[in-house]
Amino acid sequence: NAGVTQTPKFRVLKTGQSMTLLCAQDMNHEYMYWYRQDPGMGLRLIHYSVGEGTTAKGEVPDGYNVSRLKKQNFLLGLESAAPSQTSVYFCASSYSRDGYTFGSGTRLTVV
Amino acid sequence: QKEVEQDPGPLSVPEGAIVSLNCTYSNSAFQYFMWYRQYSRKGPELLMYTYSSGNKEDGRFTAQVDKSSKYISLFIRDSQPSDSATYLCAMSARSNYQLIWGAGTKLIIKP
Protein backbone atom coordinates (compact mmCIF):
# COMPACT_ATOMS: atom_id res chain seq x y z
CA ASN A 1 0.00 0.00 0.00
CA ALA A 2 2.00 2.97 -1.29
CA GLY A 3 -0.38 5.79 -0.25
CA VAL A 4 0.88 9.05 -1.76
CA THR A 5 4.05 8.96 -3.83
CA GLN A 6 5.93 12.07 -4.88
CA THR A 7 8.63 12.25 -7.51
CA PRO A 8 11.31 13.47 -7.56
CA LYS A 9 12.44 13.65 -3.93
CA PHE A 10 15.14 16.25 -4.56
CA ARG A 11 15.82 18.68 -7.36
CA VAL A 12 18.07 21.64 -8.02
CA LEU A 13 16.94 24.06 -10.72
CA LYS A 14 18.50 27.12 -12.23
CA THR A 15 16.46 30.31 -12.30
CA GLY A 16 14.18 30.31 -15.31
CA GLN A 17 14.12 26.53 -15.78
CA SER A 18 10.88 24.60 -15.73
CA MET A 19 9.94 21.35 -14.06
CA THR A 20 7.00 19.16 -13.15
CA LEU A 21 6.43 17.47 -9.80
CA LEU A 22 4.36 14.33 -9.90
CA CYS A 23 2.01 13.12 -7.19
CA ALA A 24 0.33 9.72 -7.39
CA GLN A 25 -2.14 8.20 -4.92
CA ASP A 26 -3.56 4.69 -4.86
CA MET A 27 -6.39 5.24 -2.36
CA ASN A 28 -9.04 6.35 -4.85
CA HIS A 29 -9.25 9.75 -3.12
CA GLU A 30 -11.22 12.48 -4.85
CA TYR A 31 -9.39 15.40 -3.29
CA MET A 32 -5.74 16.21 -3.91
CA TYR A 33 -3.61 19.13 -2.79
CA TRP A 34 -0.24 20.71 -3.33
CA TYR A 35 1.39 22.55 -0.43
CA ARG A 36 4.67 24.26 0.12
CA GLN A 37 6.34 24.33 3.51
CA ASP A 38 8.81 27.02 4.49
CA PRO A 39 10.47 27.55 7.88
CA GLY A 40 8.24 29.47 10.25
CA MET A 41 5.38 29.66 7.77
CA GLY A 42 3.78 26.26 8.06
CA LEU A 43 1.95 24.66 5.19
CA ARG A 44 0.57 26.92 2.49
CA LEU A 45 -1.86 25.62 -0.10
CA ILE A 46 -0.79 26.19 -3.69
CA HIS A 47 -3.51 24.47 -5.72
CA TYR A 48 -6.02 21.75 -5.11
CA SER A 49 -8.41 19.48 -6.97
CA VAL A 50 -11.81 18.16 -5.94
CA GLY A 51 -11.91 15.54 -8.66
CA GLU A 52 -10.55 14.37 -11.99
CA GLY A 53 -10.36 17.19 -14.49
CA THR A 54 -10.82 19.94 -11.87
CA THR A 55 -8.32 22.31 -10.30
CA ALA A 56 -8.56 25.41 -8.13
CA LYS A 57 -6.23 28.03 -6.71
CA GLY A 58 -5.13 27.98 -3.12
CA GLU A 59 -3.41 30.57 -0.99
CA VAL A 60 -0.18 30.97 -3.00
CA PRO A 61 -0.85 29.93 -6.64
CA ASP A 62 1.31 32.45 -8.49
CA GLY A 63 4.12 30.90 -10.51
CA TYR A 64 2.59 27.41 -10.43
CA ASN A 65 0.22 25.44 -12.62
CA VAL A 66 -1.46 22.11 -12.02
CA SER A 67 -3.29 19.40 -13.90
CA ARG A 68 -5.43 16.45 -12.84
CA LEU A 69 -6.01 14.45 -16.02
CA LYS A 70 -6.32 11.17 -14.10
CA LYS A 71 -7.92 10.71 -10.71
CA GLN A 72 -4.82 9.17 -9.20
CA ASN A 73 -2.34 11.80 -10.44
CA PHE A 74 -1.88 15.48 -9.63
CA LEU A 75 0.92 17.35 -11.36
CA LEU A 76 2.50 20.61 -10.20
CA GLY A 77 4.39 22.65 -12.77
CA LEU A 78 6.83 25.49 -12.43
CA GLU A 79 7.10 27.28 -15.76
CA SER A 80 9.99 29.62 -14.91
CA ALA A 81 11.55 28.82 -11.56
CA ALA A 82 12.55 31.62 -9.21
CA PRO A 83 14.69 31.49 -6.03
CA SER A 84 11.53 32.35 -4.02
CA GLN A 85 10.19 28.94 -5.03
CA THR A 86 12.92 27.16 -3.09
CA SER A 87 10.89 25.13 -0.64
CA VAL A 88 9.70 21.69 0.37
CA TYR A 89 6.63 20.68 -1.61
CA PHE A 90 4.08 18.25 -0.24
CA CYS A 91 1.26 16.55 -2.03
CA ALA A 92 -1.72 15.25 -0.07
CA SER A 93 -4.95 13.48 -0.82
CA SER A 94 -8.15 12.95 1.11
CA TYR A 95 -11.50 11.20 0.90
CA SER A 96 -13.25 13.61 3.21
CA ARG A 97 -12.56 15.69 6.30
CA ASP A 98 -11.22 12.61 8.05
CA GLY A 99 -7.70 13.64 7.35
CA TYR A 100 -5.17 14.07 4.66
CA THR A 101 -2.53 11.55 3.62
CA PHE A 102 0.72 13.24 2.71
CA GLY A 103 3.59 12.22 0.51
CA SER A 104 7.15 12.39 1.75
CA GLY A 105 7.91 15.67 0.01
CA THR A 106 10.07 17.12 -2.74
CA ARG A 107 12.96 19.33 -1.73
CA LEU A 108 13.44 21.95 -4.44
CA THR A 109 16.29 24.41 -4.58
CA VAL A 110 16.32 27.16 -7.20
CA VAL A 111 19.71 28.79 -7.70
CA GLN B 1 -3.52 38.24 12.40
CA LYS B 2 -3.42 34.64 11.24
CA GLU B 3 -6.57 32.55 11.44
CA VAL B 4 -4.70 29.90 13.41
CA GLU B 5 -1.92 30.73 15.86
CA GLN B 6 0.54 28.18 17.15
CA ASP B 7 3.70 28.75 19.17
CA PRO B 8 6.63 27.48 17.07
CA GLY B 9 8.70 26.45 20.10
CA PRO B 10 10.94 24.59 20.40
CA LEU B 11 9.42 23.02 23.47
CA SER B 12 11.94 20.85 25.30
CA VAL B 13 10.79 18.53 28.09
CA PRO B 14 12.30 15.50 29.89
CA GLU B 15 11.20 12.00 29.04
CA GLY B 16 8.10 10.94 30.94
CA ALA B 17 6.69 14.46 31.27
CA ILE B 18 3.18 15.48 30.26
CA VAL B 19 3.29 17.69 27.19
CA SER B 20 0.68 20.29 26.32
CA LEU B 21 0.56 21.71 22.80
CA ASN B 22 -1.94 24.41 21.89
CA CYS B 23 -3.49 26.39 19.07
CA THR B 24 -5.84 29.33 19.07
CA TYR B 25 -8.07 30.33 16.21
CA SER B 26 -10.29 33.21 15.22
CA ASN B 27 -12.89 31.71 12.88
CA SER B 28 -15.93 30.53 14.81
CA ALA B 29 -17.03 28.50 11.77
CA PHE B 30 -14.34 25.89 12.32
CA GLN B 31 -15.88 22.53 13.21
CA TYR B 32 -13.19 19.96 12.41
CA PHE B 33 -9.94 19.94 14.33
CA MET B 34 -6.90 17.83 13.68
CA TRP B 35 -3.40 17.30 14.95
CA TYR B 36 -0.66 16.12 12.66
CA ARG B 37 2.80 14.93 13.60
CA GLN B 38 5.73 15.58 11.30
CA TYR B 39 9.08 13.94 11.77
CA SER B 40 12.13 15.59 10.29
CA ARG B 41 12.28 15.25 6.49
CA LYS B 42 8.94 13.46 6.38
CA GLY B 43 5.40 14.44 5.46
CA PRO B 44 2.82 15.20 8.17
CA GLU B 45 0.75 12.27 9.41
CA LEU B 46 -2.67 12.49 11.01
CA LEU B 47 -2.51 11.93 14.76
CA MET B 48 -5.85 13.01 16.15
CA TYR B 49 -9.16 14.15 14.70
CA THR B 50 -11.98 15.82 16.62
CA TYR B 51 -15.33 17.14 15.52
CA SER B 52 -16.75 20.16 17.35
CA SER B 53 -16.10 20.43 21.08
CA GLY B 54 -14.96 17.93 23.65
CA ASN B 55 -12.14 15.50 24.27
CA LYS B 56 -10.82 12.53 22.38
CA GLU B 57 -8.30 10.06 23.74
CA ASP B 58 -6.07 7.62 21.88
CA GLY B 59 -3.48 5.87 23.96
CA ARG B 60 -1.08 8.44 25.38
CA PHE B 61 -2.64 11.25 23.31
CA THR B 62 -5.64 13.40 24.23
CA ALA B 63 -7.09 16.08 21.98
CA GLN B 64 -9.25 18.77 23.53
CA VAL B 65 -11.39 21.41 21.83
CA ASP B 66 -12.85 24.44 23.59
CA LYS B 67 -14.93 26.26 21.00
CA SER B 68 -16.08 28.92 23.43
CA SER B 69 -12.46 30.00 23.89
CA LYS B 70 -11.43 29.11 20.31
CA TYR B 71 -8.63 27.00 21.73
CA ILE B 72 -7.48 23.46 21.03
CA SER B 73 -4.93 21.36 22.85
CA LEU B 74 -3.01 18.13 22.42
CA PHE B 75 -1.76 16.38 25.53
CA ILE B 76 0.90 13.71 25.45
CA ARG B 77 1.29 11.57 28.56
CA ASP B 78 4.46 9.67 29.46
CA SER B 79 6.33 11.41 26.66
CA GLN B 80 9.00 9.41 24.84
CA PRO B 81 12.03 10.49 22.78
CA SER B 82 10.20 9.06 19.76
CA ASP B 83 7.55 11.78 20.26
CA SER B 84 10.16 14.38 19.24
CA ALA B 85 8.69 15.94 16.13
CA THR B 86 6.85 19.01 14.90
CA TYR B 87 3.15 19.02 15.76
CA LEU B 88 0.80 20.92 13.48
CA CYS B 89 -2.78 21.78 14.24
CA ALA B 90 -5.26 22.08 11.39
CA MET B 91 -8.93 22.92 11.21
CA SER B 92 -11.73 23.43 8.73
CA ALA B 93 -15.23 24.79 8.57
CA ARG B 94 -18.25 22.67 7.76
CA SER B 95 -18.70 24.19 4.35
CA ASN B 96 -15.47 23.13 2.66
CA TYR B 97 -12.68 20.66 2.84
CA GLN B 98 -9.71 22.99 2.92
CA LEU B 99 -7.66 22.84 6.07
CA ILE B 100 -6.24 25.93 7.74
CA TRP B 101 -2.91 25.14 9.33
CA GLY B 102 -0.97 26.34 12.31
CA ALA B 103 2.75 26.91 11.75
CA GLY B 104 3.69 23.92 13.92
CA THR B 105 5.37 23.48 17.31
CA LYS B 106 8.70 21.70 17.46
CA LEU B 107 8.77 19.30 20.41
CA ILE B 108 11.96 17.81 21.83
CA ILE B 109 11.81 15.02 24.40
CA LYS B 110 15.11 14.66 26.25
CA PRO B 111 16.08 11.13 27.39
Side-chain angles (χ1 to χ4, degrees), chain A residues 35 37 48 97 100 107, chain B residues 34 36 41 94 97-98:
Chain A
Y35 285 91
Q37 188 175 40
Y48 66 99
R97 298 181 189 86
Y100 293 6
R107 281 162 178 77
Chain B
M34 298 163 210
Y36 284 77
R41 296 189 168 272
R94 183 172 53 189
Y97 290 81
Q98 291 185 45

Side-chain angles (χ1 to χ4, degrees), chain A residues 10 31 33 35 37 40-43 45 48 57-58 90 94-105 107, chain B residues 2 32 34 36 38 40-46 49 86 88 92-99 101-104:
Chain A
F10 304 93
Y31 305 89
Y33 315 85
Y35 285 91
Q37 188 175 40
M41 302 195 72
L43 288 163
L45 183 64
Y48 66 99
K57 294 180 180 179
F90 287 102
S94 70
Y95 173 73
S96 67
R97 298 181 189 86
D98 289 344
Y100 293 6
T101 301
F102 282 83
S104 57
R107 281 162 178 77
Chain B
K2 294 181 180 179
Y32 301 85
M34 298 163 210
Y36 284 77
Q38 185 177 22
S40 180
R41 296 189 168 272
K42 299 289 186 183
E45 55 179 341
L46 180 64
Y49 166 79
T86 296
L88 301 102
S92 70
R94 183 172 53 189
S95 60
N96 62 62
Y97 290 81
Q98 291 185 45
L99 291 179
W101 296 84

Side-chain angles (χ1 to χ4, degrees), chain B residues 44-85:
Chain B
E45 55 179 341
L46 180 64
L47 194 60
M48 298 287 284
Y49 166 79
T50 309
Y51 171 70
S52 195
S53 288
N55 292 2
K56 184 173 184 178
E57 188 173 321
D58 184 1
R60 297 185 294 111
F61 298 89
T62 299
Q64 192 173 77
V65 175
D66 182 350
K67 292 189 71 180
S68 62
S69 301
K70 296 190 181 69
Y71 188 89
I72 68 170
S73 301
L74 177 70
F75 299 97
I76 307 174
R77 292 183 299 279
D78 187 25
S79 55
Q80 304 295 311
S82 59
D83 295 327
S84 297

